């Protein structure tokens, strides 16, 4: 169970780093990565295609991160309330009880002293 959690966390970190790189490479006005590396030649290949790819990659990586997080919660989550959990019973010392005089025994009478 622990190795699955570690694997999921590594995959989440890789997807997060890739998402940061993709988002940082985008420019909302069409400049982005395509204009950084030879702006004139990028017009021939089409800036719109680069932006479509980056937008799809952003949504895909975002969805992948969400799915991996939910999967890690389901796999490594605590047991549900439907399964009864046995709680150990508390062990307490018995209460001290003083012996009460019994009323069934007859009182002992001592003889009166004589003069």
């Amino acid at each position: 169970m622990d190795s699955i959690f570690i694997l999921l966390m590594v995959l989440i970190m890789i997807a997060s780093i890739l998402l940061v790189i993709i988002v940082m490479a985008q420019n909302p006005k069409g400049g982005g990565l395509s204009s950084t590396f030879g702006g004139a030649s990028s017009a021939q290949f089409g800036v719109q295609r680069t932006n479509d790819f980056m937008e799809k990659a952003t949504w895909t990586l975002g969805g992948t991160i969400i799915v991996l997080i939910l999967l890690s919660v389901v796999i490594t989550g605590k047991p549900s309330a439907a399964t009864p959990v046995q709680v150990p019973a508390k062990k307490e010392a018995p209460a001290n009880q003083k012996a009460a005089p019994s009323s069934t025994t007859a009182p002992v009478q001592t003889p009166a002293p004589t003069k």
Side-chain angles (χ1 to χ4, degrees):
M1 188 68 76
D2 191 36
S3 61
I4 294 174
F5 181 74
I6 292 172
L7 176 67
L8 287 173
M9 289 300 112
V10 168
L11 290 175
I12 290 170
M13 285 188 275
I14 290 171
S16 299
I17 291 170
L18 288 174
L19 181 63
V20 168
I21 291 171
I22 294 291
V23 168
M24 294 299 289
Q26 292 180 9
N27 188 352
K29 296 181 181 175
L33 188 63
S34 59
S35 67
T36 304
F37 298 111
S41 64
S42 67
Q44 294 172 356
F45 296 113
V47 176
Q48 187 63 31
R49 288 187 180 178
T50 304
N51 287 339
D52 285 343
F53 168 76
M54 289 200 175
E55 184 178 353
K56 287 179 184 178
T58 301
W59 284 107
T60 303
L61 286 171
T64 303
I65 291 171
I66 291 172
V67 168
L68 287 173
I69 290 172
L70 291 175
L71 187 64
S72 69
V73 168
V74 169
I75 289 176
T76 62
K78 294 181 180 178
S80 65
T83 58
V85 178
Q86 294 180 354
V87 179
K90 293 181 180 179
K91 295 182 180 180
E92 296 180 5
N96 292 336
Q97 296 177 351
K98 295 182 180 179
S102 169
S103 62
T104 59
T105 59
V108 179
Q109 295 182 353
T110 56
T114 56
K115 290 189 182 179

